[in-house]
Amino acid sequence: MNSLKQYDLVKSQLRAGDLVIFWGVGPLSWTIEGFDGGPSHSAVIRRPCTDQGEDARLIQSTIQTWNGKSINGVQSEPLGETISGYDAGGSIAALLLRDDIHDKLDWFKFYAMCGASDGFIGYDTADLFEFLARSIPILGNYVYQKEHPNKMVCSSWATALYEVAGVLTGLNYTKTMPQDLLEKNIFKGHVTLYGKPNLVRFNTI
């Protein structure tokens, strides 16, 4: 179980809509991070910590076993438990939305999409291999360009949610990787939740 000491120091700063990014230690994480030069997973804060002491909740598209049940696709769980059970030796950071972006976010559409997707949108395993194909110089610009509305990898889901809520526009969410989101100029800063995150080209586009 990972320590929550870093998370406890900053969790009061987290707001709904903030992006959480992960660097793992497994072969798949290393492959994504090696090809894309950034984190291998992303999620969105669905609800911040409450005054009643409830933990913040993430919403993300992933494949994992939660409380003994294997879940494939968009799902929601407490952020603290996610950090505690993440890869030992990995890293996690939260990217904090700019105040002007946060204020104009369409919260009705944000939560409507969360509710409509949680447990209904599957994980797009095939897109992991399509990502590798799109990384091939020249050829990659012409293959696997179509968006997949019924199955999404982590960053595709986060991008689609941001587009629906008015945070981002004009992106092909199926092609968007965690590093692409990290580079968008929509954040006011970042905080470390676990480990030693290495953010490259943060907030530059």
Side-chain angles (χ1 to χ4, degrees):
M1 304 292 281
N2 298 322
S3 171
L4 298 180
K5 182 180 295 185
Q6 292 169 288
Y7 172 55
D8 288 338
L9 290 173
V10 300
K11 63 184 181 182
S12 63
Q13 300 180 44
L14 304 181
R15 301 184 295 185
D18 289 340
L19 188 72
V20 181
I21 53 175
F22 301 74
W23 290 257
V25 298
L28 179 58
S29 296
W30 289 338
T31 300
I32 296 172
E33 293 164 18
F35 270 86
D36 204 41
S40 52
H41 184 65
S42 57
V44 177
I45 300 290
R46 183 173 186 171
R47 188 204 67 201
C49 298
T50 69
D51 294 337
Q52 291 72 39
E54 294 180 275
D55 192 17
R57 291 192 70 84
L58 280 181
I59 187 161
Q60 60 181 333
S61 183
T62 190
I63 301 174
Q64 64 178 345
T65 299
W66 194 260
N67 293 328
K69 180 181 179 181
S70 179
I71 306 176
N72 179 327
V74 176
Q75 53 197 278
S76 184
E77 57 270 331
L79 177 51
E81 291 186 38
T82 299
I83 296 170
S84 178
Y86 195 61
D87 297 347
S91 294
I92 307 172
L95 312 186
L96 311 179
L97 285 177
R98 290 186 350 226
D99 292 339
D100 61 312
I101 298 289
H102 187 270
D103 290 345
K104 72 177 185 181
L105 197 149
D106 190 323
W107 294 107
F108 178 82
K109 291 181 178 179
F110 177 91
Y111 284 111
M113 185 167 179
C114 288
S117 302
D118 194 348
F120 296 97
I121 299 294
Y123 188 80
D124 195 355
T125 305
D127 191 46
L128 295 175
F129 301 97
E130 293 175 7
F131 156 69
L132 297 178
R134 289 193 296 267
S135 300
I136 300 173
I138 301 177
L139 176 64
N141 294 324
Y142 300 96
V143 297
Y144 303 119
Q145 302 294 308
K146 186 177 180 180
E147 292 184 325
H148 307 164
N150 298 318
K151 291 185 177 182
M152 301 183 189
V153 296
C154 60
S155 50
S156 297
W157 154 251
T159 302
L161 179 60
Y162 275 170
E163 287 194 308
V164 165
V167 175
L168 294 171
T169 59
L171 296 177
N172 182 327
Y173 54 75
T174 294
K175 294 172 56 179
T176 303
M177 299 301 294
Q179 177 65 26
D180 297 324
L181 292 173
L182 180 153
E183 294 177 9
K184 297 301 180 187
N185 185 24
I186 58 174
F187 305 106
K188 64 179 181 180
H190 58 86
V191 293
T192 296
L193 305 183
Y194 173 68
K196 298 179 180 180
N198 180 25
L199 281 71
V200 178
R201 301 187 301 279
F202 172 65
N203 227 27
T204 54
I205 298 177

